[in-house]
Amino acid sequence: PRNTAAPPRALGAIAPGAILGDRSGQLRAAVAALDAHPDVTVTRCSPVYEAEAHTLDGTPQPAYLNAVVTASTSLDPEALLDVLLAIEQEAGRTRAHRWASRTLDLDLVLYADLHLDTARLSVPHPRLAERRFVLQPLADLAPDRVVPRWNETVADLLAACPDRAALRCTDFALRDDEPQDASHGGGSHGGGSHGGGSHGGGDEEPRRNRSEG
């Protein structure tokens, strides 16, 4: 008889970020597009944080909006990366150079308990422990989750994160059915500077955890 069982699903963590144009609109549209994919279901959304962009040469850039969403998927990590890249491209994402301002970033931060390094993708993101603007929203969702590359919890990585620049928690919700948690709204956290291209793998070259990273 034909096997009609559903394919196994994995839980991934994706970090959307936006710096150009309608930042909140870009994030909401990206989450909606991800959830609309037949092989992906967005399960939870973190609060949205704002941080000043960190650039290589000090060139002023608008403040960045950052968040983390968790998603259940039957796609393997590289197929999920392709979905994220397609959503970025649809949003008008271009890659001028590393850390250039972008309309949208979608970084694959975690994929189940996998520790993977290939030519295209590194999971967990190799610089996750240095990025408070990702660790803080991730900790809002899963503080006790053990991160494979370091074998430490998200909360422990956040406590030890060297990035001390301020993060401002906004009152913006990524989905209408998931309002901002009042305990976070309007607050601020130490740490969170980053660059227009410091999401995902952090490199513009072949290996990247999403669109580029």
Side-chain angles (χ1 to χ4, degrees):
R2 189 176 67 175
N3 183 2
T4 59
R9 297 183 75 87
L11 187 66
I14 296 152
I19 192 171
L20 296 177
D22 179 4
R23 300 174 304 163
S24 60
Q26 293 278 12
L27 294 186
R28 286 177 66 94
V31 171
L34 184 62
D35 196 43
H37 192 281
D39 298 313
V40 181
T41 301
V42 173
T43 55
R44 296 184 66 198
C45 301
S46 78
V48 177
Y49 291 87
E50 185 174 56
E52 294 302 314
H54 177 208
T55 60
L56 289 175
D57 59 3
T59 302
Q61 290 186 9
Y64 229 107
L65 289 184
N66 299 278
V68 166
V69 302
T70 55
S72 172
T73 182
S74 57
L75 300 174
D76 64 42
E78 294 206 1
L80 181 56
L81 173 63
D82 289 335
V83 171
L84 301 182
L85 291 170
I87 295 172
E88 285 189 345
Q89 186 175 23
E90 182 67 22
R93 167 67 183 274
T94 59
R95 298 179 180 81
H97 56 80
R98 185 182 178 187
W99 287 17
S101 297
R102 300 97 187 268
T103 53
L104 179 67
D105 276 328
L106 290 171
D107 298 347
L108 180 54
V109 179
L110 298 173
Y111 184 96
D113 296 322
L114 187 66
H115 182 179
L116 174 71
D117 288 298
T118 72
R120 296 187 67 210
L121 182 64
S122 290
V123 178
H125 188 293
R127 282 173 291 286
L128 174 62
E130 304 167 12
R131 295 178 171 179
R132 186 172 298 273
F133 61 91
V134 177
L135 284 171
Q136 181 61 62
L138 183 59
D140 291 333
L141 299 181
D144 298 325
R145 182 166 179 173
V146 175
V147 182
R149 190 179 297 274
W150 296 272
N151 293 321
E152 296 184 42
T153 66
V154 173
D156 287 341
L157 289 177
L158 176 60
C161 182
D163 179 4
R164 309 308 301 178
L167 281 178
R168 184 180 72 84
C169 187
T170 72
D171 59 3
F172 169 67
L174 288 176
R175 298 196 294 191
D176 291 336
D177 62 348
E178 200 152 4
Q180 172 69 62
D181 185 337
S183 67
H184 294 287
S188 62
H189 300 262
S193 74
H194 59 276
S198 55
H199 287 0
D203 308 73
E204 291 283 335
E205 267 45 27
R207 175 177 297 178
R208 55 206 184 207
N209 289 42
R210 101 208 167 273
S211 52
E212 139 154 298

mmCIF file of all heavy atoms in Angstrom, residues 186-210:
data_model
loop_
_atom_site.group_PDB
_atom_site.id
_atom_site.type_symbol
_atom_site.label_atom_id
_atom_site.label_comp_id
_atom_site.label_asym_id
_atom_site.label_seq_id
_atom_site.Cartn_x
_atom_site.Cartn_y
_atom_site.Cartn_z
ATOM 1 N N GLY A 186 7.711 48.515 24.834
ATOM 2 C CA GLY A 186 8.314 49.775 25.198
ATOM 3 C C GLY A 186 9.581 49.645 26.004
ATOM 4 O O GLY A 186 10.209 50.638 26.333
ATOM 5 N N GLY A 187 9.958 48.444 26.387
ATOM 6 C CA GLY A 187 11.136 48.287 27.210
ATOM 7 C C GLY A 187 12.405 48.366 26.392
ATOM 8 O O GLY A 187 12.387 48.466 25.174
ATOM 9 N N SER A 188 13.541 48.324 27.092
ATOM 10 C CA SER A 188 14.814 48.323 26.390
ATOM 11 C C SER A 188 15.730 47.323 27.052
ATOM 12 O O SER A 188 15.584 47.006 28.225
ATOM 13 C CB SER A 188 15.454 49.718 26.413
ATOM 14 O OG SER A 188 15.730 50.115 27.745
ATOM 15 N N HIS A 189 16.669 46.819 26.282
ATOM 16 C CA HIS A 189 17.625 45.834 26.769
ATOM 17 C C HIS A 189 19.005 46.275 26.341
ATOM 18 O O HIS A 189 19.187 46.827 25.275
ATOM 19 C CB HIS A 189 17.348 44.441 26.175
ATOM 20 C CG HIS A 189 15.990 43.922 26.514
ATOM 21 N ND1 HIS A 189 15.768 43.055 27.545
ATOM 22 C CD2 HIS A 189 14.770 44.167 25.959
ATOM 23 C CE1 HIS A 189 14.468 42.761 27.612
ATOM 24 N NE2 HIS A 189 13.851 43.423 26.656
ATOM 25 N N GLY A 190 19.986 46.000 27.166
ATOM 26 C CA GLY A 190 21.340 46.307 26.749
ATOM 27 C C GLY A 190 21.752 45.397 25.638
ATOM 28 O O GLY A 190 21.552 44.202 25.700
ATOM 29 N N GLY A 191 22.313 45.953 24.572
ATOM 30 C CA GLY A 191 22.820 45.124 23.498
ATOM 31 C C GLY A 191 21.914 45.142 22.312
ATOM 32 O O GLY A 191 20.717 45.192 22.435
ATOM 33 N N GLY A 192 22.519 45.098 21.107
ATOM 34 C CA GLY A 192 21.696 44.948 19.944
ATOM 35 C C GLY A 192 22.156 45.661 18.726
ATOM 36 O O GLY A 192 21.443 45.758 17.754
ATOM 37 N N SER A 193 23.359 46.198 18.662
ATOM 38 C CA SER A 193 23.765 46.852 17.441
ATOM 39 C C SER A 193 24.112 45.809 16.409
ATOM 40 O O SER A 193 24.490 44.702 16.722
ATOM 41 C CB SER A 193 24.987 47.730 17.684
ATOM 42 O OG SER A 193 26.121 46.966 17.845
ATOM 43 N N HIS A 194 23.985 46.176 15.152
ATOM 44 C CA HIS A 194 24.297 45.235 14.083
ATOM 45 C C HIS A 194 24.354 45.985 12.796
ATOM 46 O O HIS A 194 24.038 47.142 12.729
ATOM 47 C CB HIS A 194 23.231 44.161 13.999
ATOM 48 C CG HIS A 194 21.910 44.737 13.749
ATOM 49 N ND1 HIS A 194 21.130 45.226 14.744
ATOM 50 C CD2 HIS A 194 21.252 44.960 12.609
ATOM 51 C CE1 HIS A 194 20.028 45.717 14.231
ATOM 52 N NE2 HIS A 194 20.088 45.565 12.933
ATOM 53 N N GLY A 195 24.689 45.288 11.769
ATOM 54 C CA GLY A 195 24.842 45.961 10.508
ATOM 55 C C GLY A 195 23.783 45.569 9.538
ATOM 56 O O GLY A 195 23.117 44.582 9.677
ATOM 57 N N GLY A 196 23.637 46.379 8.500
ATOM 58 C CA GLY A 196 22.636 46.110 7.510
ATOM 59 C C GLY A 196 22.777 44.737 6.951
ATOM 60 O O GLY A 196 21.824 44.196 6.447
ATOM 61 N N GLY A 197 23.931 44.130 7.017
ATOM 62 C CA GLY A 197 24.043 42.809 6.443
ATOM 63 C C GLY A 197 24.535 41.798 7.404
ATOM 64 O O GLY A 197 25.025 40.770 7.036
ATOM 65 N N SER A 198 24.431 42.068 8.673
ATOM 66 C CA SER A 198 25.001 41.135 9.611
ATOM 67 C C SER A 198 24.043 40.035 9.986
ATOM 68 O O SER A 198 24.295 39.292 10.895
ATOM 69 C CB SER A 198 25.447 41.876 10.864
ATOM 70 O OG SER A 198 24.400 42.616 11.406
ATOM 71 N N HIS A 199 22.923 39.918 9.298
ATOM 72 C CA HIS A 199 22.017 38.828 9.572
ATOM 73 C C HIS A 199 22.484 37.575 8.863
ATOM 74 O O HIS A 199 23.270 37.588 7.989
ATOM 75 C CB HIS A 199 20.623 39.156 9.042
ATOM 76 C CG HIS A 199 19.978 40.176 9.874
ATOM 77 N ND1 HIS A 199 20.563 40.726 10.958
ATOM 78 C CD2 HIS A 199 18.766 40.756 9.767
ATOM 79 C CE1 HIS A 199 19.743 41.598 11.495
ATOM 80 N NE2 HIS A 199 18.661 41.635 10.785
ATOM 81 N N GLY A 200 21.848 36.459 9.238
ATOM 82 C CA GLY A 200 22.115 35.223 8.554
ATOM 83 C C GLY A 200 23.545 34.845 8.716
ATOM 84 O O GLY A 200 24.104 34.974 9.753
ATOM 85 N N GLY A 201 24.195 34.389 7.661
ATOM 86 C CA GLY A 201 25.564 33.944 7.762
ATOM 87 C C GLY A 201 26.500 35.070 7.942
ATOM 88 O O GLY A 201 27.623 34.909 8.320
ATOM 89 N N GLY A 202 26.135 36.281 7.625
ATOM 90 C CA GLY A 202 26.998 37.401 7.834
ATOM 91 C C GLY A 202 27.926 37.621 6.677
ATOM 92 O O GLY A 202 28.601 38.629 6.591
ATOM 93 N N ASP A 203 27.971 36.753 5.726
ATOM 94 C CA ASP A 203 28.843 36.933 4.570
ATOM 95 C C ASP A 203 27.981 37.033 3.338
ATOM 96 O O ASP A 203 26.935 36.467 3.269
ATOM 97 C CB ASP A 203 29.747 35.724 4.375
ATOM 98 C CG ASP A 203 30.487 35.356 5.611
ATOM 99 O OD1 ASP A 203 29.876 34.836 6.520
ATOM 100 O OD2 ASP A 203 31.659 35.569 5.648
ATOM 101 N N GLU A 204 28.491 37.738 2.356
ATOM 102 C CA GLU A 204 27.746 37.824 1.116
ATOM 103 C C GLU A 204 28.096 36.634 0.233
ATOM 104 O O GLU A 204 27.510 36.428 -0.778
ATOM 105 C CB GLU A 204 28.131 39.087 0.371
ATOM 106 C CG GLU A 204 27.659 40.324 1.069
ATOM 107 C CD GLU A 204 26.208 40.542 0.855
ATOM 108 O OE1 GLU A 204 25.689 40.070 -0.140
ATOM 109 O OE2 GLU A 204 25.576 41.183 1.658
ATOM 110 N N GLU A 205 29.118 35.895 0.605
ATOM 111 C CA GLU A 205 29.573 34.829 -0.239
ATOM 112 C C GLU A 205 28.845 33.529 0.041
ATOM 113 O O GLU A 205 28.023 33.437 0.877
ATOM 114 C CB GLU A 205 31.059 34.658 -0.058
ATOM 115 C CG GLU A 205 31.837 35.438 -1.042
ATOM 116 C CD GLU A 205 31.315 36.820 -1.190
ATOM 117 O OE1 GLU A 205 30.744 37.373 -0.323
ATOM 118 O OE2 GLU A 205 31.423 37.340 -2.243
ATOM 119 N N PRO A 206 29.238 32.448 -0.680
ATOM 120 C CA PRO A 206 28.388 31.288 -0.816
ATOM 121 C C PRO A 206 27.725 30.816 0.464
ATOM 122 O O PRO A 206 26.589 30.476 0.427
ATOM 123 C CB PRO A 206 29.324 30.228 -1.349
ATOM 124 C CG PRO A 206 30.610 30.888 -1.663
ATOM 125 C CD PRO A 206 30.567 32.266 -1.100
ATOM 126 N N ARG A 207 28.472 30.761 1.577
ATOM 127 C CA ARG A 207 27.842 30.227 2.772
ATOM 128 C C ARG A 207 27.010 31.318 3.402
ATOM 129 O O ARG A 207 27.478 32.389 3.699
ATOM 130 C CB ARG A 207 28.901 29.762 3.772
ATOM 131 C CG ARG A 207 28.292 29.316 5.075
ATOM 132 C CD ARG A 207 29.319 28.804 6.034
ATOM 133 N NE ARG A 207 29.987 27.638 5.517
ATOM 134 C CZ ARG A 207 30.963 27.013 6.156
ATOM 135 N NH1 ARG A 207 31.378 27.438 7.299
ATOM 136 N NH2 ARG A 207 31.538 25.956 5.616
ATOM 137 N N ARG A 208 25.746 31.039 3.657
ATOM 138 C CA ARG A 208 24.909 32.018 4.305
ATOM 139 C C ARG A 208 23.706 31.351 4.920
ATOM 140 O O ARG A 208 23.214 30.372 4.430
ATOM 141 C CB ARG A 208 24.456 33.100 3.319
ATOM 142 C CG ARG A 208 23.767 32.550 2.111
ATOM 143 C CD ARG A 208 23.917 33.519 0.969
ATOM 144 N NE ARG A 208 23.176 33.066 -0.195
ATOM 145 C CZ ARG A 208 23.508 33.385 -1.405
ATOM 146 N NH1 ARG A 208 24.550 34.144 -1.615
ATOM 147 N NH2 ARG A 208 22.801 32.988 -2.435
ATOM 148 N N ASN A 209 23.206 31.901 5.991
ATOM 149 C CA ASN A 209 22.101 31.305 6.691
ATOM 150 C C ASN A 209 20.866 32.045 6.308
ATOM 151 O O ASN A 209 20.292 32.684 7.134
ATOM 152 C CB ASN A 209 22.283 31.437 8.173
ATOM 153 C CG ASN A 209 23.370 30.567 8.640
ATOM 154 O OD1 ASN A 209 24.361 30.492 8.018
ATOM 155 N ND2 ASN A 209 23.182 29.898 9.713
ATOM 156 N N ARG A 210 20.545 32.076 5.131
ATOM 157 C CA ARG A 210 19.342 32.695 4.667
ATOM 158 C C ARG A 210 19.636 33.355 3.391
ATOM 159 O O ARG A 210 20.133 32.774 2.501
ATOM 160 C CB ARG A 210 18.886 33.705 5.673
ATOM 161 C CG ARG A 210 19.233 34.991 5.267
ATOM 162 C CD ARG A 210 19.483 36.052 6.075
ATOM 163 N NE ARG A 210 20.063 37.085 5.416
ATOM 164 C CZ ARG A 210 21.284 37.271 5.205
ATOM 165 N NH1 ARG A 210 22.080 36.506 5.532
ATOM 166 N NH2 ARG A 210 21.743 38.291 4.650
#
